[in-house]
Amino acid sequence: MEQKQSQYVMGVLAAGLSYLIWGFLPLYWKAVGTVPAGEVLAHRIIWSLVFMIFLLLLLGKWKVVAAEIKAICRHKKQAAGVIIASVLISINWLIYIFAVESNHVVEASLGYYINPLFNVFLATFFLKERLNKAEWLSVAIAAAGVLWLTVYYGSFPWAALTLAATFGVYGLIKKKIPVGAWTGLTLETFIMASFALIFLFFFNSGAVPLAEEQLSTVLLLMGAGVVTAVPLLLFAAGTKRISFTLVGFLQYIAPTIMLLLGLFVFHEPFDASQLFAFSLIWVALIIFSWSRSRDMLARRTGEGKLDARKKLQA
């Protein structure tokens, strides 16, 4: 019992820490704001791969990961899924970095608030999961919030919705093709690393060479691999030890921190119309979380009664 409790605590700490790191990442990307988003993305991919190879060698996980990669390559559908996932997460990273560098952290936070509800939409159509009335209501309220922002801005909030859509579809693919966290990140960065190198050497002519950058900028670009890999590995370790419902609650830590950074650190504009739209989405998330928690509790209660009946019959 004590071991199970300690595993649970470790799971909460690992998952919570991953969301804290993701929440404060805008500060990191702001620090390299003099470097264009495309170049930052290329370095993020390359140094993530370097860091993962270093960790695999250091921890002796290389053989296990290599065997899993070979198994994926034997199945065309799995290999295609991993390639698509690699492209999607790269697009997500690029939009996120661009949003931070162009002073749209608040809009980026909106994307990650929407993401859980977008996941519900995907699960309904691709995983055939059913929604109850409260969950459909939450989706409708969130859609109203996005529509309000669209009318208010006079343009589609493409950055927020692209972040939600790319991360949502990425998660769906990862669910359909179960790949370990170590293997997944290593393979995804390996697939995109060649494109990142080609971009840096052939399509980034206006950039300052890395050797000529300030030492602080060079270190930040190299460190992008660490700040990418560490929260993903923590998240994978945490979600194995805690319930999906708790993960659902913890995931709001990151966009909340991002929103607060956008408002109080980067001083981005946030008027009454934006507050109204965000309020709609917060209400939608509260309804959705309440509905999922209630259903989870009902299932556990039902399972508990069933186990009790079985014991009595035995």
Side-chain angles (χ1 to χ4, degrees), residues 21-22 25 29 44-45 47-48 51-52 89 93 185 189 223-233:
I21 294 172
W22 280 327
L25 264 186
W29 304 131
R44 185 178 189 181
I45 292 168
W47 292 112
S48 292
F51 182 66
M52 288 304 297
I89 197 63
W93 289 350
L185 185 56
T189 51
V226 178
V227 299
T228 297
V230 169
L232 283 170
L233 296 174

Side-chain angles (χ1 to χ4, degrees), residues 16-299:
L17 184 56
S18 71
Y19 283 118
L20 280 172
I21 294 172
W22 280 327
F24 284 107
L25 264 186
L27 294 172
Y28 195 93
W29 304 131
K30 280 284 188 181
V32 288
T34 56
V35 182
E39 189 179 343
V40 175
L41 173 65
H43 281 287
R44 185 178 189 181
I45 292 168
I46 293 165
W47 292 112
S48 292
L49 177 60
V50 171
F51 182 66
M52 288 304 297
I53 292 172
F54 171 76
L55 282 182
L56 293 176
L57 293 173
L58 181 67
L59 301 175
K61 291 179 176 288
W62 181 255
K63 290 183 178 179
V64 176
V65 170
E68 194 170 356
I69 290 173
K70 286 180 181 178
I72 291 169
C73 292
R74 291 192 195 103
H75 296 86
K76 291 183 178 179
K77 286 186 178 179
Q78 287 190 359
V82 171
I83 292 170
I84 295 169
S86 304
V87 174
L88 286 170
I89 197 63
S90 298
I91 294 171
N92 183 275
W93 289 350
L94 176 62
I95 298 299
Y96 181 55
I97 296 167
F98 175 78
V100 173
E101 289 190 353
S102 59
N103 300 315
H104 286 86
V105 175
V106 170
E107 187 175 349
S109 73
L110 174 66
Y112 290 110
Y113 274 125
I114 294 171
N115 180 246
L117 298 172
F118 190 82
N119 289 344
V120 172
F121 174 80
L122 292 174
T124 303
F125 286 93
F126 293 99
L127 301 179
K128 306 303 180 184
E129 294 183 9
R130 293 184 177 182
L131 301 184
N132 58 37
K133 291 180 180 179
E135 289 165 355
W136 275 118
L137 177 62
S138 67
V139 172
I141 293 172
V146 173
L147 181 61
W148 178 270
L149 278 179
T150 303
V151 174
Y152 169 71
Y153 279 123
S155 62
F156 203 56
W158 64 271
L161 293 179
T162 303
L163 286 171
T166 51
F167 201 71
V169 177
Y170 172 78
L172 177 66
I173 292 172
K174 300 283 277 189
K175 187 174 180 65
K176 299 285 280 186
I177 305 173
V179 179
W182 294 89
T183 303
L185 185 56
T186 303
L187 189 52
E188 288 160 13
T189 51
F190 176 77
I191 290 168
M192 300 306 297
S194 57
F195 297 101
L197 287 168
I198 290 170
F199 172 79
L200 285 178
F201 285 104
F202 297 103
F203 296 96
N204 202 32
S205 57
V208 178
L210 189 63
E212 297 178 17
E213 289 278 8
Q214 290 185 356
L215 179 61
S216 59
T217 303
V218 172
L219 292 175
L220 285 169
L221 290 172
M222 293 175 68
V226 178
V227 299
T228 297
V230 169
L232 283 170
L233 296 174
L234 284 171
F235 176 76
T239 52
K240 288 180 181 178
R241 293 172 171 84
I242 59 178
S243 69
F244 185 72
T245 302
L246 183 54
V247 172
F249 282 112
L250 290 174
Q251 71 184 340
Y252 301 129
I253 293 173
T256 301
I257 294 172
M258 290 165 60
L259 176 62
L260 294 175
L261 287 175
L263 294 179
F264 300 109
V265 177
F266 306 133
H267 305 292
E268 294 183 10
F270 193 74
D271 58 22
S273 293
Q274 288 171 290
L275 178 60
F276 178 70
F278 269 82
S279 298
L280 287 176
I281 292 164
W282 289 329
V283 168
L285 291 173
I286 291 169
I287 293 172
F288 173 75
S289 300
W290 167 78
S291 177
R292 282 292 162 102
S293 301
R294 185 190 60 180
D295 289 348
M296 183 69 73
L297 182 62
R299 280 197 295 271

